[in-house]
């Protein structure tokens, strides 16, 4: 039996990158999928390709975050699972981050997941129904490089939020977990490497040479793990912040 048979899954930030991978994997496992994205053309093209439902939303606006949940419920009668996969990774250190950049990171990487979770949990509690939520975090929640100061702060907040919400709603049978992913090969990462690090066409190969497994994290592998966490096969696990990376936090040579 497919892992998400007869489930309605909302994926925030689902038009590209890890979010798009989760959309594909959830569909493959039998789910009805709604996904959000900012760019109408990209979202509509991906919806036509996959059969998922696209909702255009700017997740920096909390009202649009809640509206996306309501539109998913209107379209399919309910939402059973949520994945918060949207992320902003623009660079900034402690010394050069402006208030505007800091606020942008908090808006997308922390505030949007908060209010999406709020809306979905309200819906699940009103239905007296179990549900699952997976937040896509980052290993930067443990500290991160100097050029990702606001991003690291927001992702650390997301890890704490995950634990808090999971504890608060464990008796509602709503399981909430966080997947702290490492360096991952996505379209967005390609753009970031070129814009901020002067990377050439061979940056993936050069990066892979410096990594223990000889490759960056792969979207399809992450997506399969997210689907497992959304499904009943992950059992009772909740409040877990899982490091999904090839570097071991706290270890050293």
């Amino acid at each position: 039996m497919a892992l998400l048979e007869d489930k309605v899954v909302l994926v925030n930030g689902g038009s590209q990158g890890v979010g798009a991978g989760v959309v594909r994997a959830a569909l493959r496992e039998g789910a009805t999928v709604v996904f959000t994205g900012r760019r109408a053309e990209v979202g509509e093209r991906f919806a036509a390709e996959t059969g998922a439902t696209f909702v255009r939303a700017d997740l920096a606006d909390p009202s649009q975050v809640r509206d996306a949940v309501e539109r998913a419920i209107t379209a399919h009668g309910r939402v059973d699972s949520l994945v918060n996969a949207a992320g902003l990774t623009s660079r900034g250190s402690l010394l050069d981050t402006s208030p505007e950049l800091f606020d942008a990171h908090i808006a997308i990487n922390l505030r949007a997941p908060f209010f999406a979770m709020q809306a979905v949990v309200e819906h699940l509690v009103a239905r007296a129904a179990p549900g699952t939520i997976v937040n896509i975090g980052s290993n930067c929640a443990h500290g991160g490089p100097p050029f990702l100061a606001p991003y690291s702060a927001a992702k650390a907040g997301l890890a704490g939020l995950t634990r808090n919400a999971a504890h608060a709603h464990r008796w509602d049978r709503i399981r909430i977990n966080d997947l702290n992913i490492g360096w991952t090969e996505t379209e967005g990462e390609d753009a970031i490497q070129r814009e901020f690090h002067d990377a050439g066409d061979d940056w993936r190969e050069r990066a892979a040479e410096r990594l223990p497994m000889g490759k960056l994290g792969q979207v399809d592998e992450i997506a399969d793990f997210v689907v497992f966490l959304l499904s009943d096969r992950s059992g009772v696990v909740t409040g877990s912040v899982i490091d999904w990376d090839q570097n071991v936090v706290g270890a050293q040579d």
Side-chain angles (χ1 to χ4, degrees):
M1 183 176 177
L3 289 176
L4 297 177
E5 193 73 37
D6 196 37
K7 299 295 184 183
V8 179
V9 178
L10 171 61
V11 181
N12 279 329
S15 58
Q16 68 173 22
V18 171
V22 172
V23 170
R24 294 182 189 279
L27 288 167
R28 184 196 69 220
E29 293 298 332
T32 298
V33 180
V34 180
F35 71 95
T36 67
R38 283 189 305 108
R39 295 176 295 167
E41 181 181 348
V42 174
E44 289 165 2
R45 184 168 61 245
F46 189 52
E49 175 191 338
T50 60
T53 301
F54 171 59
V55 173
R56 185 179 181 277
D58 181 355
L59 299 177
D61 179 354
S63 65
Q64 293 189 45
V65 174
R66 293 189 62 89
D67 181 65
V69 176
E70 292 302 320
R71 290 175 65 181
I73 294 168
T74 299
H76 300 292
R78 69 186 196 279
V79 168
D80 301 299
S81 298
L82 168 69
V83 179
N84 285 307
L88 178 67
T89 58
S90 49
R91 279 22 182 175
S93 72
L94 179 65
L95 297 181
D96 64 21
T97 294
S98 66
E100 292 76 18
L101 178 60
F102 184 86
D103 288 347
H105 273 275
I106 295 298
I108 296 297
N109 295 324
L110 182 55
R111 189 175 67 194
F114 185 102
F115 287 105
M117 290 168 64
Q118 182 185 79
V120 169
V121 170
E122 284 176 355
H123 167 69
L124 291 168
V125 169
R127 286 171 50 209
T132 51
I133 297 173
V134 175
N135 294 318
I136 302 300
S138 168
N139 62 5
C140 289
H142 297 290
F147 56 79
L148 283 174
Y151 177 76
S152 298
K155 290 299 188 180
L158 184 61
L161 172 61
T162 296
R163 294 186 179 100
N164 180 276
H167 175 74
H169 293 284
R170 67 199 192 282
W171 289 103
D172 295 314
R173 294 179 298 152
I174 300 170
R175 299 190 298 108
I176 306 172
N177 295 289
D178 178 300
L179 195 62
N180 275 345
I181 63 175
W183 199 4
T184 303
E185 184 176 343
T186 65
E187 308 98 305
E189 182 62 21
D190 180 63
I192 285 287
Q193 288 296 320
R194 293 174 189 276
E195 179 179 356
F196 291 99
H197 302 287
D198 298 320
D201 292 340
D202 64 343
W203 74 266
R204 296 174 184 81
E205 291 75 16
R206 292 170 64 86
E209 292 172 356
R210 307 196 306 270
L211 293 170
M213 306 303 164
K215 64 178 182 179
L216 287 90
Q218 299 297 301
V219 166
D220 59 338
E221 296 168 353
I222 294 168
D224 285 347
F225 200 84
V226 171
V227 164
F228 172 75
L229 288 173
L230 293 176
S231 76
D232 292 341
R233 289 298 298 151
S234 55
V236 299
V237 64
T238 193
S240 291
V241 178
I242 301 166
D243 291 326
W244 198 99
D245 194 21
Q246 54 196 300
N247 295 307
V248 181
V249 175
Q252 56 186 331
D253 294 322

